[in-house]
């Protein structure tokens, strides 16, 4: 039955429909018709040349060709050609990407793809990062690592995002995969320094250990000292700036000395500038450096390590990315000037320093492509960025103080300046108190390469602060003029008109974030009916109800997920979705903070899945059936 | 709302804030910290070890620190914000990791200006980076670590250690403030002859000393490691402690 497949657009991690499952064979028996097949009873082992049958030739050729196909979207397309292609593609896929850990079970994924070396798994939806979801909602790594332990003994790489990972999981990982090389953990929780210790000591081929924005419990284990003590390590990247634990500096220094391939090192706050100096001197080959606290509290004279630091940094000829600066002492700011000219990426988003000080650094950074800063940079600072960083591709401006003043430190003035100076901009995340349509329209015209536009106007329902009008025209211009736009986040005072624009022009849009916006069901309808590529839709506190939800029935199987919280959905309306689309898992989550009347749904989180309702949901989650 | 915000600030600024501020207690608000402590139950081991001589200034600095903490709390809030903003959960969409970092940052910055004032007034200073030392207790299977810079007095340190090694309790009365009185040799000897636990530390010279015989800041600067041992074992240290005491105070 091919009914499910018609009209489904190409996208990430879609498995073929159920009817193809029977055709899978992870054993390699080929059906050859007749020619040259040897029956078991012939005597001598005379090896006559058996010409392979045409099917087999095709499959061999295919196998050789498909090895080179790396894009998973291309592979998904190839797998749909016919059963033979499906089979060969499955055999040659080495990178498994699971965009939603509940969309497919480990067993199913592993029985289709048998030769995987790298696995990426994403769990919770993004809004979980902002305390909008109960803590114990799910996304456990355990069933995955357990299954992989037997299915993929040659596994080399694991990437996890928004998953719950335990120390036992890490122990199993370290024990099961002798060739294990890369572990990248982003926005996860549930494990501790004990788990890190096991990975450090048992994964002898480890090249990459990257812990990014994750919550790691400190249970006083000296995990740095657990790396093998003698001989060179394979380490190329060690990122642990989010791990709040004390650091055995001698062990760390010794590790750095024994790691000649180390290119990326991002330290946590418990490394002082003096220690930082010593490390950099040991590793002048670094390309990415996270400076930790960048503070020196024991200075007898403020800045006494400055010249040492400066010369140590100058010796790093390959340094292209700097971050850290979490307790930055301005005395040490000039130490980085010499390396600024080579920097392509600078993360100052934890440096609570004055705008002038940031500007003094920016003026040296002519080659910057990625810049993350706090809004304490102010509009003047953004003007400096605009005049200096002509190559800028990605800009993120975070709020220093989320509650903010009425006059935020950055505004439409800064945005306008950036749009005029940084014409190659591809991605922007901008937090501000107020905005004008004019500045947003200017950006839509000046930056045609924009792929990601995320504007967060912190003041709720805030109109254009010059004209008093809604922000419809600004966002409309973005979707209209930025032909490459795939990701959009809207805010401020928005009417259904804005969504009309999005539906009409946002043809390439894959991710849309909506908060406190829209007038009626029409808004959501425009989007669901107009954006054929939409995969991830997250909406909060907007007046969209059951009728709007219903208007997306034709599209929900194409999406990774839909999130709607504090909207106007009823349990009945959600139930109808389940009836219409049996392969959708519809979770209704009760969450105190959503504060909705009893007959509305606090949180709706729904996603397509081949497995039906999951069995690890906590009590607050009701899966409609 | 006030309390909520306090808690939010507390959670965000683990290092510097005094948890006692929001601890539930039987005493009236603004009463001495010690009253609050006693109400929370058992102590792990010897409360504080301190020279009688330094007691006065320590108490003062403890109190002024406590009131500074209060100022800190009020100054990091913005009282004029409309409630509506503060109540919207998850808005603006900033990850808690970043929020915590920035809250810590803010407090550190505030601390710095407090510290400058403090230093001018001749009080004790602390700074942002950690002074981590290992703490072991005889008989306990695990090793812990403390950041000495998180505490401003022996009292605070002893509270923290008591919480960490809470399976060990102390009976006995050590006077109103529970301090070892170094001036009173017989009292000291009684303690060291008992089976009660006393904290000792290894200083920069590699000598093992009884905790409490030098001013707090000097202790923080020179302490490399802490060990909590039975009084009877520490008795060997006492004479050296006395020596150093004489040296430091002659």
């Amino acid at each position: 039955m091919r009914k499910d497949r018609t009209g489904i657009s190409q996208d990430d991690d879609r498995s073929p429909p159920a009817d193809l499952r029977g055709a899978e064979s992870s054993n390699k028996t080929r059906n050859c018709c007749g020619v040259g097949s040897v029956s078991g009873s012939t005597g001598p082992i005379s090896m006559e040349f058996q010409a392979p049958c045409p099917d087999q030739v095709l499959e061999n050729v295919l196998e050789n060709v498909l090895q080179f196909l790396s894009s998973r979207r291309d592979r998904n397309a190839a797998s749909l050609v016919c059963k033979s292609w499906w089979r060969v593609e499955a055999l040659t896929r080495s990178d498994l990407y699971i965009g939603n850990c509940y969309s497919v079970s480990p067993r199913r994924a592993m029985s289709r793809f048998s030769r995987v070396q790298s696995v990426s798994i994403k769990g919770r939806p993004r809004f979980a990062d902002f305390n909008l979801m109960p803590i114990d909602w799910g996304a456990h790594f355990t069933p995955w690592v357990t299954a992989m332990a037997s299915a993929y003994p040659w596994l080399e790489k694991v990437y996890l995002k928004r998953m719950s990972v335990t120390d036992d999981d890490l122990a199993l990982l370290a024990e099961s995969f002798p060739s294990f090389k890369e572990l990248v953990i982003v926005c996860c929780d549930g494990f501790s320094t004990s788990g890190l210790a096991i990975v450090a000591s048992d994964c002898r081929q480890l090249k990459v250990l990257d812990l990014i924005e994750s919550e790691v419990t400190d249970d006083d284990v000296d995990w740095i000292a657990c790396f093998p003590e003698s001989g060179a390590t394979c380490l190329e990247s060690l990122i642990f700036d989010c791990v709040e634990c004390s650091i055995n500096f001698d062990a760390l220094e010794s590790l750095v000395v024994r790691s000649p391939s180390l290119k990326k090192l991002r330290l946590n706050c418990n490394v002082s500038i003096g220690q930082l100096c010593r490390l950099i001197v040991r590793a002048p080959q670094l390309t990415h450096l996270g400076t930790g606290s960048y503070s020196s509290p024991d200075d007898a004279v403020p800045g006494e390590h400055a010249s040492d630091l400066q010369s140590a940094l100058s010796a790093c000829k390959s340094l292209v990315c700097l971050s850290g600066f979490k307790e930055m002492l301005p005395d040490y700011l000039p130490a980085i000037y010499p390396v600024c000219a080579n920097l392509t990426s600078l993360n100052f988003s934890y440096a609570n320093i004055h705008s002038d000080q940031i500007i003094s650094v920016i003026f040296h950074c002519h080659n910057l492509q990625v810049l993350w800063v706090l809004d304490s940079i102010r509009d003047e600072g953004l003007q400096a960025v605009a005049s200096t960083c002509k190559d800028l591709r990605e800009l993120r401006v975070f709020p220093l103080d989320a509650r903010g003043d009425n006059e935020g430190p950055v505004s439409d003035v800064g945005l306008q300046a950036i749009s005029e100076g940084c014409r190659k901009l591809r991605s922007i995340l901008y937090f501000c108190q107020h905005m004008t349509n004019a500045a947003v329209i200017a950006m839509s015209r000046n930056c045609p390469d924009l792929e990601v536009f995320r504007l967060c106007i912190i003041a709720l329902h805030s109109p254009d602060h010059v004209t008093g009008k809604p922000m419809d025209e600004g966002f409309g211009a973005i979707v209209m003029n930025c032909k490459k736009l795939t990701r959009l986040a809207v805010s401020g005072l928005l009417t259904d008109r804005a969504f009309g624009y999005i539906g009409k022009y946002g043809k390439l849009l894959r991710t849309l974030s909506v908060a406190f916006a829209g007038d009626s069901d029409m808004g959501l309808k425009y989007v669901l009916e107009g954006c054929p590529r939409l995969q991830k839709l997250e909406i909060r506190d907007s007046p969209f109800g059951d009728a709007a939800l219903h208007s997306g029935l034709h599209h929900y199987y194409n999406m990774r997920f839909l999130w709607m919280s504090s909207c106007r959905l009823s349990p009945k309306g959600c139930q109808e979705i389940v009836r219409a689309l049996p392969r959708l898992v519809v979770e209704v989550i009760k969450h105190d903070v959503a504060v909705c009347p009893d007959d509305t749904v606090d949180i709706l989180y729904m996603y397509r899945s081949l497995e039906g309702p999951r069995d690890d949901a906590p009590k607050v989650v009701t899966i409609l059936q | 709302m006030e309390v909520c915000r306090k808690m939010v600030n507390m959670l965000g600024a683990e290092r510097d804030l005094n948890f006692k501020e929001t601890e539930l207690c039987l005493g009236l608000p603004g009463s001495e910290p010690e009253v609050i402590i006693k109400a929370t139950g058992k102590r792990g081991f010897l409360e504080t070890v301190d020279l009688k001589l330094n007691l006065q200034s320590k108490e003062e600095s403890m109190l002024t620190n406590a009131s500074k903490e209060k100022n800190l709390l009020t100054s990091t809030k913005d009282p004029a914000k409309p409630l509506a903003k503060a109540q919207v959960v998850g808005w603006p969409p900033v990850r808690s990791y970043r929020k915590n970092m920035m809250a810590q940052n803010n407090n550190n910055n505030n601390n710095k200006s407090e510290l400058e004032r403090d230093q001018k007034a001749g009080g004790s200073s602390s700074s942002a980076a950690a002074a981590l030392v290992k703490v072991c207790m005889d008989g306990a299977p695990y090793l812990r670590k403390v950041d000495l810079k998180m505490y401003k007095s022996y009292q605070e340190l002893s509270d923290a250690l008591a919480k960490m090694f809470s399976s060990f309790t102390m009976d006995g009365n050590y006077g109103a403030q529970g301090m070892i009185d170094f001036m009173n040799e017989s009292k000291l000897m009684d303690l060291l002859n008992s089976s009660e636990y006393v904290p000792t530390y290894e200083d920069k010279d590699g000598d093992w000393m009884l905790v409490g015989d030098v001013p707090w800041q000097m202790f923080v600067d020179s302490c490399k490691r802490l060990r909590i041992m039975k009084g009877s074992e520490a008795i060997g240290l006492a004479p050296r402690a006395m020596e150093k005491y004489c040296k430091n105070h002659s």
Side-chain angles (χ1 to χ4, degrees):
Chain A
M1 228 189 36
R2 309 256 152 164
K3 202 166 98 168
D4 282 349
R5 294 204 305 179
T6 48
I8 292 178
S9 56
Q10 299 300 332
D11 59 12
D12 310 356
D13 48 340
R14 184 163 52 90
S15 315
D19 60 334
L20 279 186
R21 257 189 297 135
E24 83 195 42
S25 55
S26 48
N27 55 359
K28 287 185 262 176
T29 49
R30 311 270 203 254
N31 290 326
C32 278
C33 36
V35 178
S37 52
V38 182
S39 72
S41 56
T42 45
I45 330 223
S46 54
M47 297 299 253
E48 296 164 31
F49 174 68
Q50 315 274 351
C53 57
D55 282 350
Q56 184 155 356
V57 171
L58 179 64
E59 289 209 358
N60 289 347
V61 168
L62 211 50
E63 200 169 325
N64 282 312
V65 169
L66 288 184
Q67 308 271 28
F68 295 100
L69 214 56
S70 51
S71 148
R72 65 176 189 268
R73 292 192 177 99
D74 290 345
R75 283 188 158 271
N76 291 346
S79 73
L80 292 176
V81 171
C82 63
K83 283 183 189 176
S84 174
W85 280 53
W86 183 90
R87 188 168 51 231
V88 176
E89 190 283 311
L91 286 173
T92 55
R93 189 182 293 226
S94 60
D95 295 355
L96 182 63
Y97 175 89
I98 307 287
N100 173 3
C101 64
Y102 289 120
S103 63
V104 65
S105 71
R107 188 201 53 79
R108 184 190 299 265
M110 279 153 222
S111 63
R112 176 175 171 186
F113 301 108
S114 54
R115 296 192 195 165
V116 164
Q117 288 183 315
S118 154
V119 173
S120 303
I121 310 174
K122 295 186 178 176
R124 296 182 278 269
R126 200 179 69 98
F127 272 10
D129 290 352
F130 314 124
N131 300 328
L132 290 177
M133 201 172 222
I135 298 176
D136 55 348
W137 175 81
H140 303 288
F141 182 44
T142 308
W144 289 92
V145 66
T146 312
M148 291 192 301
S150 43
Y152 299 149
W154 48 83
L155 192 69
E156 292 184 7
K157 175 175 170 180
V158 166
Y159 170 96
L160 301 173
K161 187 167 186 181
R162 294 197 186 96
M163 300 281 294
S164 286
V165 183
T166 65
D167 288 339
D168 287 340
D169 295 337
L170 293 177
L172 185 57
L173 185 145
E175 170 192 314
S176 312
F177 309 120
S179 322
F180 195 73
K181 296 192 168 70
E182 295 186 29
L183 181 61
V184 179
I185 293 183
V186 181
C187 296
C188 297
D189 60 15
F191 61 104
S192 73
T193 45
S194 300
L196 295 182
I198 302 174
V199 171
S201 76
D202 294 356
C203 297
R204 295 294 164 127
Q205 314 278 339
L206 199 65
K207 284 191 190 173
V208 171
L209 180 59
D210 289 352
L211 307 160
I212 299 168
E213 291 198 46
S214 297
E215 263 189 55
V216 184
T217 313
D218 177 18
D219 56 0
D220 290 324
V221 171
D222 186 356
W223 60 280
I224 295 277
C226 290
F227 283 94
E229 273 181 21
S230 57
T233 74
C234 312
L235 269 185
E236 294 174 12
S237 174
L238 181 61
I239 295 179
F240 60 95
D241 48 350
C242 65
V243 184
E244 289 173 21
C245 65
S246 59
I247 292 297
N248 174 347
F249 182 73
D250 292 335
L252 179 60
E253 190 175 17
S254 157
L255 179 64
V256 170
V257 167
R258 296 196 317 276
S259 305
S261 311
L262 194 66
K263 292 284 191 309
K264 300 186 186 183
L265 180 64
R266 299 211 322 227
L267 307 165
N268 70 8
C269 287
N270 294 327
V271 176
S272 69
I273 283 201
Q275 292 172 329
L276 175 66
C277 257
R278 281 165 62 180
L279 289 176
I280 299 175
V281 162
R282 304 294 203 172
Q285 76 280 6
L286 286 177
T287 57
H288 293 59
L289 176 65
T291 59
S293 66
Y294 207 70
S295 173
S296 193
D298 294 327
D299 280 358
V301 174
E304 62 184 357
H305 296 290
S307 57
D308 288 342
L309 182 59
Q310 187 157 325
S311 52
L313 280 173
S314 307
C316 297
K317 303 291 182 200
S318 320
L319 204 59
V320 292
C321 173
L322 266 188
S323 60
F325 307 109
K326 290 185 174 168
E327 288 160 34
M328 176 167 227
L329 274 186
D331 300 302
Y332 285 103
L333 205 49
I336 66 176
Y337 292 164
V339 293
C340 286
N342 281 338
L343 285 185
T344 54
S345 171
L346 178 62
N347 182 351
F348 253 7
S349 66
Y350 296 103
N352 187 3
I353 52 178
H354 198 266
S355 162
D356 289 342
Q357 292 163 332
I358 306 177
I359 293 175
S360 70
V361 172
I362 295 290
F363 272 142
H364 294 85
C365 299
H366 304 278
N367 289 316
L368 217 54
Q369 294 181 16
V370 176
L371 176 64
W372 292 22
V373 279
L374 288 171
D375 60 4
S376 45
I377 192 176
R378 307 189 70 86
D379 287 328
E380 305 89 81
L382 291 175
Q383 285 164 334
V385 172
S387 64
T388 315
C389 308
K390 293 304 184 188
D391 222 13
L392 200 68
R393 312 290 162 105
E394 177 181 326
L395 174 66
R396 297 197 191 190
V397 181
F398 292 97
L400 171 60
D401 178 4
R403 285 161 307 210
D405 305 322
N406 278 328
E407 291 305 313
V410 297
S411 70
D412 52 289
V413 172
L415 192 70
Q416 177 98 23
I418 291 289
S419 79
E420 287 165 7
C422 306
R423 298 297 176 108
K424 298 189 193 170
L425 202 64
R426 287 188 201 160
S427 169
I428 182 164
L429 169 63
Y430 197 87
F431 283 84
C432 57
Q433 285 296 322
H434 301 286
M435 186 46 61
T436 63
N437 282 305
V440 178
I441 293 170
M443 178 155 275
S444 78
R445 295 203 179 120
N446 294 334
C447 304
D449 290 339
L450 267 183
E451 295 167 22
V452 173
F453 184 78
R454 298 160 68 190
L455 178 61
C456 182
I457 305 173
I458 299 176
L460 300 180
H461 308 296
S462 169
D464 178 324
H465 75 97
V466 168
T467 66
K469 292 196 175 142
M471 292 298 300
D472 297 340
E473 298 307 313
F475 285 104
I478 290 286
V479 282
M480 216 187 319
N481 299 333
C482 301
K483 311 278 191 232
K484 303 181 188 173
L485 198 75
T486 54
R487 182 171 179 183
L488 179 66
V490 301
S491 58
L493 181 65
L494 293 170
T495 71
D496 288 344
R497 194 184 176 89
F499 295 99
Y501 288 136
I502 295 174
K504 186 169 179 192
Y505 297 107
K507 297 306 176 189
L508 294 184
L509 213 54
R510 292 204 296 264
T511 306
L512 178 62
S513 277
V514 178
F516 303 96
D519 300 323
S520 74
D521 285 345
M522 284 314 295
L524 182 52
K525 273 190 188 175
Y526 289 141
V527 169
L528 289 170
E529 287 167 4
C531 302
R533 299 283 180 102
L534 196 62
Q535 289 174 29
K536 298 187 271 185
L537 180 54
E538 44 189 33
I539 304 173
R540 63 168 293 181
D541 295 275
S542 301
F544 305 134
D546 296 340
L549 188 64
H550 217 260
S551 65
L553 283 175
H554 66 288
H555 189 60
Y556 293 139
Y557 277 161
N558 295 347
M559 290 177 66
R560 189 178 297 173
F561 70 80
L562 169 66
W563 166 293
M564 289 178 70
S565 60
S566 304
C567 296
R568 295 199 185 149
L569 300 172
S570 74
K572 186 161 164 288
C574 298
Q575 191 68 49
E576 280 173 24
I577 302 293
V578 179
R579 215 169 291 136
L581 299 174
R583 291 283 202 183
L584 225 50
V585 172
V586 179
E587 298 192 11
V588 167
I589 306 169
K590 204 111 198 66
H591 198 38
D592 288 335
V593 292
V595 186
C596 280
D598 276 336
D599 58 346
T600 53
V601 164
D602 289 350
I603 302 174
L604 167 71
Y605 179 57
M606 67 189 209
Y607 49 90
R608 66 188 171 193
S609 172
L610 290 173
E611 311 304 335
R614 58 191 174 109
D615 55 8
D616 62 355
K619 282 208 197 97
V620 291
V621 174
T622 310
I623 301 184
L624 298 184
Q625 288 172 67
Chain B
M1 212 52 220
E2 289 291 297
V3 174
C4 275
R5 282 200 211 132
K6 252 192 207 173
M7 289 310 294
V8 167
N9 282 338
M10 299 297 274
L11 292 169
E14 302 135 7
R15 271 190 197 165
D16 295 297
L17 284 190
N18 183 356
F19 286 100
K20 288 200 281 273
E21 281 298 309
T22 53
E23 213 170 346
L24 291 177
C25 66
L26 298 175
L28 291 170
S31 57
E32 298 227 354
E34 267 177 309
V35 173
I36 296 171
I37 293 158
K38 283 193 174 137
T40 56
K42 46 187 185 179
R43 315 294 301 278
F45 65 104
L46 196 64
E47 264 119 288
T48 48
V49 182
D50 202 354
L51 278 180
K52 199 180 186 186
L53 279 180
N54 285 340
L55 178 60
Q56 203 58 32
S57 54
K58 275 215 172 51
E59 252 193 358
E60 268 170 14
S61 63
M62 208 156 59
L63 286 173
T64 45
N65 280 339
S67 55
K68 267 192 216 125
E69 298 291 334
K70 281 194 188 129
N71 289 337
L72 196 62
L73 280 174
T74 51
S75 65
T76 50
K77 294 194 292 287
D78 36 330
K81 275 313 119 194
L83 281 179
K85 265 191 198 167
Q87 277 170 349
V88 179
V89 174
W91 189 262
V94 173
R95 286 192 191 134
S96 43
Y97 172 71
R98 178 173 290 280
K99 270 191 195 150
N100 291 340
M101 272 276 108
M102 296 325 302
Q104 271 186 29
N105 241 329
N106 276 335
N107 277 311
N108 283 339
N109 283 338
N110 285 334
N111 256 350
K112 277 179 194 149
S113 52
E114 296 285 336
L115 285 171
E116 275 150 29
R117 255 194 286 144
D118 203 7
Q119 272 166 338
K120 284 181 190 146
S124 63
S125 67
S126 63
S127 40
L132 288 155
V133 297
K134 287 189 186 164
V135 186
C136 64
M137 182 158 185
D138 287 2
Y142 44 87
L143 198 67
R144 301 307 302 265
K145 281 188 184 172
V146 287
D147 174 4
L148 291 178
K149 298 236 159 105
M150 279 182 69
Y151 312 107
K152 293 180 185 58
S153 67
Y154 286 114
Q155 183 71 56
E156 289 184 24
L157 174 63
S158 75
D159 291 340
L161 292 177
K163 283 184 191 140
M164 278 183 218
F165 297 100
S166 56
S167 54
F168 298 92
T169 53
M170 298 280 286
D171 295 324
N173 200 358
Y174 294 95
Q177 281 96 23
M179 318 240 180
I180 282 186
D181 182 356
F182 270 83
M183 292 304 279
N184 187 334
E185 207 179 313
S186 63
K187 254 197 199 167
L188 180 60
M189 286 306 151
D190 278 346
L191 173 65
L192 295 177
N193 277 322
S194 72
S195 60
E196 303 300 346
Y197 285 89
V198 298
T200 64
Y201 71 104
E202 184 183 1
D203 71 4
K204 277 184 180 156
D205 307 328
D207 295 328
W208 284 91
M209 316 272 289
L210 282 177
V211 168
D213 60 347
V214 296
W216 172 254
Q217 194 52 42
M218 204 185 295
F219 165 70
V220 172
D221 292 336
S222 63
C223 172
K224 272 176 32 187
R225 226 183 331 168
L226 280 165
R227 182 176 156 201
I228 304 168
M229 59 175 81
K230 288 223 161 80
S232 45
E233 282 186 45
I235 201 163
L237 300 178
R240 266 195 283 173
M242 296 298 282
E243 265 178 52
K244 275 210 169 171
Y245 162 64
C246 291
K247 232 193 306 178
N248 288 333
H249 293 94
S250 51

